[in-house]
Amino acid sequence: DRLIQQIKSTNEPLSEETLKSVAKLKSLGPGVIQPVIQALADADKNATVALVDVLSTLVSNKTFPQFVEGLCDGGPRISAGIAWALTSSRSYTPGLLLDALNAKGVSKSALVDVIQAQRERFNLRELLKAAYAQEPNEKAALFRVIADVAAPDSLGELTSRLEGKDPIARMHIINILSKFNQPEVKRALQTQLRDNNKMIRSAALAALARMDGPVDVATICHLLRDPEIDVQNRAIDVLIRANDPDTIKHLIPVLKDENEYARRAAVEVLNEIGDARSVKFLLAAIKDDDWWVRSRAGDALGKIGGPKVIDAVLQLARDKDDDIRRGAIEILNQTKDERAVGLLIDSTKDNDWWVCERSVDALAEIGNRRALPRLVEMLATTPARSLGVVIRAVGKLGEPKNVEQLLPFLSRITTPSDRAGVVASIS
């Protein structure tokens, strides 16, 4: 007690008297461990350094239980001092630290700090075994230690545990494996994409997103239909990062899916990796489907399509294939993009009546009056079956003075419902 009091009372930690007190305490052996540990509770910074020096010298396999007892009974200052002493010593078997994690009431956070500091003394398997037995917080902390010690020769041990029953442990392992951008790791991670647990699917995708090189785009495109939005978003990230040319063909069934979120996800990928060739491929692939399938896909491309998709569609609106032009014009009907006005005016002269009519509809939706002269010109040349479309567009874009130009053409519209619609648009 006298030696401890001298150390705690001095303002000169390196004075000759203090150093003698420290040396004397060390020479007294394990019997001083308990009082030195208790002295940490109210020791200042200088005294703590000296007391920890004493403790670190006295650590051994035999005395280790006394340090564990201190970690159970002491407060934060005592736990911090003991952790410092254990960190500074190599005179005990490291496995004792892992065993101590199971002691009732022990400061696990202090023990984990020591384990982290001495991580090079552990092998991967014993750390994994200890981690599986811990509660979530300590488990996460130990897996951070495992991440630091994991090396390429650890991959077999880690991948073999991906099929285990503990989903939290599997998620941590997946995260660790993402550091190793190797084909066998990617293959192992991709097996987790079909797991029933949404957290596992999401973690595997997050890991793949941090890696370079080819991935299984077919499987990942399927996850664009996943019921979990988080999984969908991570799948989008992986596909964009991979930028695989085969992605487009796997997007087709997703773009036709009944689920709006799935279609939206497919278009988000297309927005980043698509071009005119890929959009044409998509339009060609869906042209023989039912009208509602084509409409669903076109609606998604039109409403969600970004600059790349719209630029591609503007090119395809001049394609030689009637079906491709029809698909492109249908998308432009959804976008209401001012850039399309000039092209749509030209498309009103298309030989395909459907392209012509839908171009007029698109111009009316955009609402740019630059199209009005062409629409007025069409009044005199448009066949009777399409005249109602043109009159409605002029009625929507025109001014009161255009009414006199429209009235003479009403008699050419024979269907009562069309005539009613035209009158409504004029009024």
Side-chain angles (χ1 to χ4, degrees), residues 157-173:
E157 179 73 34
L158 291 169
T159 56
S160 68
R161 294 173 180 265
L162 284 176
E163 302 302 328
K165 295 181 179 180
D166 185 337
I168 303 300
R170 291 168 64 197
M171 288 173 61
H172 288 303
I173 291 172

PDB file of all heavy atoms in Angstrom, residues 157-173:
ATOM      1  N   GLU A 157     -11.336 -21.833 -45.757  1.00  0.00           N
ATOM      2  CA  GLU A 157     -12.005 -21.861 -44.461  1.00  0.00           C
ATOM      3  C   GLU A 157     -13.232 -20.958 -44.455  1.00  0.00           C
ATOM      4  O   GLU A 157     -14.295 -21.321 -43.928  1.00  0.00           O
ATOM      5  CB  GLU A 157     -11.019 -21.408 -43.373  1.00  0.00           C
ATOM      6  CG  GLU A 157     -11.592 -21.374 -41.981  1.00  0.00           C
ATOM      7  CD  GLU A 157     -11.800 -22.751 -41.381  1.00  0.00           C
ATOM      8  OE1 GLU A 157     -10.986 -23.652 -41.678  1.00  0.00           O
ATOM      9  OE2 GLU A 157     -12.785 -22.921 -40.645  1.00  0.00           O
ATOM     10  N   LEU A 158     -13.112 -19.788 -45.062  1.00  0.00           N
ATOM     11  CA  LEU A 158     -14.212 -18.828 -45.057  1.00  0.00           C
ATOM     12  C   LEU A 158     -15.356 -19.263 -45.972  1.00  0.00           C
ATOM     13  O   LEU A 158     -16.533 -19.218 -45.585  1.00  0.00           O
ATOM     14  CB  LEU A 158     -13.701 -17.453 -45.463  1.00  0.00           C
ATOM     15  CG  LEU A 158     -12.772 -16.768 -44.458  1.00  0.00           C
ATOM     16  CD1 LEU A 158     -12.122 -15.533 -45.071  1.00  0.00           C
ATOM     17  CD2 LEU A 158     -13.532 -16.388 -43.187  1.00  0.00           C
ATOM     18  N   THR A 159     -15.031 -19.656 -47.194  1.00  0.00           N
ATOM     19  CA  THR A 159     -16.100 -20.034 -48.138  1.00  0.00           C
ATOM     20  C   THR A 159     -16.844 -21.279 -47.681  1.00  0.00           C
ATOM     21  O   THR A 159     -18.041 -21.423 -47.961  1.00  0.00           O
ATOM     22  CB  THR A 159     -15.534 -20.247 -49.557  1.00  0.00           C
ATOM     23  OG1 THR A 159     -14.481 -21.223 -49.502  1.00  0.00           O
ATOM     24  CG2 THR A 159     -14.979 -18.956 -50.127  1.00  0.00           C
ATOM     25  N   SER A 160     -16.159 -22.160 -46.957  1.00  0.00           N
ATOM     26  CA  SER A 160     -16.825 -23.383 -46.492  1.00  0.00           C
ATOM     27  C   SER A 160     -17.913 -23.079 -45.464  1.00  0.00           C
ATOM     28  O   SER A 160     -18.788 -23.908 -45.215  1.00  0.00           O
ATOM     29  CB  SER A 160     -15.799 -24.341 -45.888  1.00  0.00           C
ATOM     30  OG  SER A 160     -15.263 -23.815 -44.681  1.00  0.00           O
ATOM     31  N   ARG A 161     -17.849 -21.895 -44.868  1.00  0.00           N
ATOM     32  CA  ARG A 161     -18.818 -21.525 -43.843  1.00  0.00           C
ATOM     33  C   ARG A 161     -19.991 -20.717 -44.393  1.00  0.00           C
ATOM     34  O   ARG A 161     -20.869 -20.300 -43.630  1.00  0.00           O
ATOM     35  CB  ARG A 161     -18.118 -20.738 -42.729  1.00  0.00           C
ATOM     36  CG  ARG A 161     -17.100 -21.576 -41.954  1.00  0.00           C
ATOM     37  CD  ARG A 161     -16.313 -20.732 -40.970  1.00  0.00           C
ATOM     38  NE  ARG A 161     -15.346 -21.536 -40.246  1.00  0.00           N
ATOM     39  CZ  ARG A 161     -15.556 -22.094 -39.045  1.00  0.00           C
ATOM     40  NH1 ARG A 161     -16.727 -21.918 -38.442  1.00  0.00           N
ATOM     41  NH2 ARG A 161     -14.624 -22.801 -38.454  1.00  0.00           N
ATOM     42  N   LEU A 162     -20.020 -20.491 -45.694  1.00  0.00           N
ATOM     43  CA  LEU A 162     -21.108 -19.707 -46.281  1.00  0.00           C
ATOM     44  C   LEU A 162     -22.449 -20.423 -46.233  1.00  0.00           C
ATOM     45  O   LEU A 162     -23.498 -19.788 -46.374  1.00  0.00           O
ATOM     46  CB  LEU A 162     -20.769 -19.345 -47.732  1.00  0.00           C
ATOM     47  CG  LEU A 162     -19.743 -18.235 -47.925  1.00  0.00           C
ATOM     48  CD1 LEU A 162     -19.439 -18.045 -49.405  1.00  0.00           C
ATOM     49  CD2 LEU A 162     -20.242 -16.929 -47.319  1.00  0.00           C
ATOM     50  N   GLU A 163     -22.423 -21.723 -46.078  1.00  0.00           N
ATOM     51  CA  GLU A 163     -23.683 -22.478 -46.029  1.00  0.00           C
ATOM     52  C   GLU A 163     -24.109 -22.768 -44.597  1.00  0.00           C
ATOM     53  O   GLU A 163     -24.981 -23.600 -44.360  1.00  0.00           O
ATOM     54  CB  GLU A 163     -23.532 -23.791 -46.805  1.00  0.00           C
ATOM     55  CG  GLU A 163     -23.128 -23.618 -48.262  1.00  0.00           C
ATOM     56  CD  GLU A 163     -24.105 -22.770 -49.055  1.00  0.00           C
ATOM     57  OE1 GLU A 163     -25.318 -22.807 -48.736  1.00  0.00           O
ATOM     58  OE2 GLU A 163     -23.664 -22.066 -49.971  1.00  0.00           O
ATOM     59  N   GLY A 164     -23.506 -22.094 -43.628  1.00  0.00           N
ATOM     60  CA  GLY A 164     -23.840 -22.337 -42.232  1.00  0.00           C
ATOM     61  C   GLY A 164     -25.235 -21.869 -41.867  1.00  0.00           C
ATOM     62  O   GLY A 164     -25.944 -21.242 -42.655  1.00  0.00           O
ATOM     63  N   LYS A 165     -25.632 -22.138 -40.623  1.00  0.00           N
ATOM     64  CA  LYS A 165     -26.991 -21.819 -40.172  1.00  0.00           C
ATOM     65  C   LYS A 165     -27.107 -20.426 -39.559  1.00  0.00           C
ATOM     66  O   LYS A 165     -28.218 -19.932 -39.367  1.00  0.00           O
ATOM     67  CB  LYS A 165     -27.455 -22.858 -39.152  1.00  0.00           C
ATOM     68  CG  LYS A 165     -27.595 -24.264 -39.733  1.00  0.00           C
ATOM     69  CD  LYS A 165     -28.079 -25.246 -38.671  1.00  0.00           C
ATOM     70  CE  LYS A 165     -28.237 -26.649 -39.256  1.00  0.00           C
ATOM     71  NZ  LYS A 165     -28.703 -27.620 -38.231  1.00  0.00           N
ATOM     72  N   ASP A 166     -25.980 -19.808 -39.227  1.00  0.00           N
ATOM     73  CA  ASP A 166     -26.009 -18.494 -38.581  1.00  0.00           C
ATOM     74  C   ASP A 166     -25.965 -17.403 -39.646  1.00  0.00           C
ATOM     75  O   ASP A 166     -24.914 -17.124 -40.216  1.00  0.00           O
ATOM     76  CB  ASP A 166     -24.805 -18.368 -37.640  1.00  0.00           C
ATOM     77  CG  ASP A 166     -24.826 -17.074 -36.833  1.00  0.00           C
ATOM     78  OD1 ASP A 166     -25.468 -16.106 -37.277  1.00  0.00           O
ATOM     79  OD2 ASP A 166     -24.183 -17.035 -35.762  1.00  0.00           O
ATOM     80  N   PRO A 167     -27.109 -16.734 -39.936  1.00  0.00           N
ATOM     81  CA  PRO A 167     -27.126 -15.748 -41.025  1.00  0.00           C
ATOM     82  C   PRO A 167     -26.255 -14.520 -40.732  1.00  0.00           C
ATOM     83  O   PRO A 167     -25.667 -13.950 -41.660  1.00  0.00           O
ATOM     84  CB  PRO A 167     -28.608 -15.356 -41.138  1.00  0.00           C
ATOM     85  CG  PRO A 167     -29.198 -15.698 -39.809  1.00  0.00           C
ATOM     86  CD  PRO A 167     -28.441 -16.881 -39.306  1.00  0.00           C
ATOM     87  N   ILE A 168     -26.146 -14.127 -39.464  1.00  0.00           N
ATOM     88  CA  ILE A 168     -25.326 -12.964 -39.129  1.00  0.00           C
ATOM     89  C   ILE A 168     -23.860 -13.264 -39.404  1.00  0.00           C
ATOM     90  O   ILE A 168     -23.137 -12.445 -39.988  1.00  0.00           O
ATOM     91  CB  ILE A 168     -25.525 -12.562 -37.657  1.00  0.00           C
ATOM     92  CG1 ILE A 168     -27.006 -12.267 -37.371  1.00  0.00           C
ATOM     93  CG2 ILE A 168     -24.664 -11.351 -37.321  1.00  0.00           C
ATOM     94  CD1 ILE A 168     -27.573 -11.147 -38.211  1.00  0.00           C
ATOM     95  N   ALA A 169     -23.420 -14.448 -38.991  1.00  0.00           N
ATOM     96  CA  ALA A 169     -22.032 -14.851 -39.261  1.00  0.00           C
ATOM     97  C   ALA A 169     -21.780 -14.930 -40.761  1.00  0.00           C
ATOM     98  O   ALA A 169     -20.721 -14.501 -41.246  1.00  0.00           O
ATOM     99  CB  ALA A 169     -21.747 -16.198 -38.597  1.00  0.00           C
ATOM    100  N   ARG A 170     -22.743 -15.465 -41.497  1.00  0.00           N
ATOM    101  CA  ARG A 170     -22.577 -15.563 -42.950  1.00  0.00           C
ATOM    102  C   ARG A 170     -22.440 -14.185 -43.588  1.00  0.00           C
ATOM    103  O   ARG A 170     -21.642 -13.980 -44.502  1.00  0.00           O
ATOM    104  CB  ARG A 170     -23.759 -16.313 -43.555  1.00  0.00           C
ATOM    105  CG  ARG A 170     -23.782 -17.789 -43.197  1.00  0.00           C
ATOM    106  CD  ARG A 170     -25.111 -18.408 -43.568  1.00  0.00           C
ATOM    107  NE  ARG A 170     -25.341 -18.377 -44.994  1.00  0.00           N
ATOM    108  CZ  ARG A 170     -26.525 -18.544 -45.565  1.00  0.00           C
ATOM    109  NH1 ARG A 170     -27.593 -18.738 -44.809  1.00  0.00           N
ATOM    110  NH2 ARG A 170     -26.662 -18.511 -46.870  1.00  0.00           N
ATOM    111  N   MET A 171     -23.214 -13.222 -43.093  1.00  0.00           N
ATOM    112  CA  MET A 171     -23.119 -11.866 -43.628  1.00  0.00           C
ATOM    113  C   MET A 171     -21.733 -11.270 -43.374  1.00  0.00           C
ATOM    114  O   MET A 171     -21.150 -10.627 -44.249  1.00  0.00           O
ATOM    115  CB  MET A 171     -24.194 -10.970 -42.996  1.00  0.00           C
ATOM    116  CG  MET A 171     -25.599 -11.275 -43.479  1.00  0.00           C
ATOM    117  SD  MET A 171     -26.845 -10.335 -42.559  1.00  0.00           S
ATOM    118  CE  MET A 171     -26.361  -8.664 -42.962  1.00  0.00           C
ATOM    119  N   HIS A 172     -21.205 -11.497 -42.174  1.00  0.00           N
ATOM    120  CA  HIS A 172     -19.849 -11.002 -41.877  1.00  0.00           C
ATOM    121  C   HIS A 172     -18.815 -11.674 -42.782  1.00  0.00           C
ATOM    122  O   HIS A 172     -17.887 -11.013 -43.278  1.00  0.00           O
ATOM    123  CB  HIS A 172     -19.511 -11.258 -40.408  1.00  0.00           C
ATOM    124  CG  HIS A 172     -20.252 -10.386 -39.447  1.00  0.00           C
ATOM    125  ND1 HIS A 172     -20.198  -9.003 -39.506  1.00  0.00           N
ATOM    126  CD2 HIS A 172     -21.071 -10.686 -38.401  1.00  0.00           C
ATOM    127  CE1 HIS A 172     -20.935  -8.494 -38.525  1.00  0.00           C
ATOM    128  NE2 HIS A 172     -21.489  -9.500 -37.856  1.00  0.00           N
ATOM    129  N   ILE A 173     -18.968 -12.963 -42.996  1.00  0.00           N
ATOM    130  CA  ILE A 173     -18.017 -13.684 -43.852  1.00  0.00           C
ATOM    131  C   ILE A 173     -18.092 -13.173 -45.288  1.00  0.00           C
ATOM    132  O   ILE A 173     -17.072 -12.997 -45.962  1.00  0.00           O
ATOM    133  CB  ILE A 173     -18.293 -15.207 -43.780  1.00  0.00           C
ATOM    134  CG1 ILE A 173     -17.917 -15.730 -42.388  1.00  0.00           C
ATOM    135  CG2 ILE A 173     -17.514 -15.946 -44.862  1.00  0.00           C
ATOM    136  CD1 ILE A 173     -18.328 -17.162 -42.137  1.00  0.00           C
TER     137      ILE A 173
END
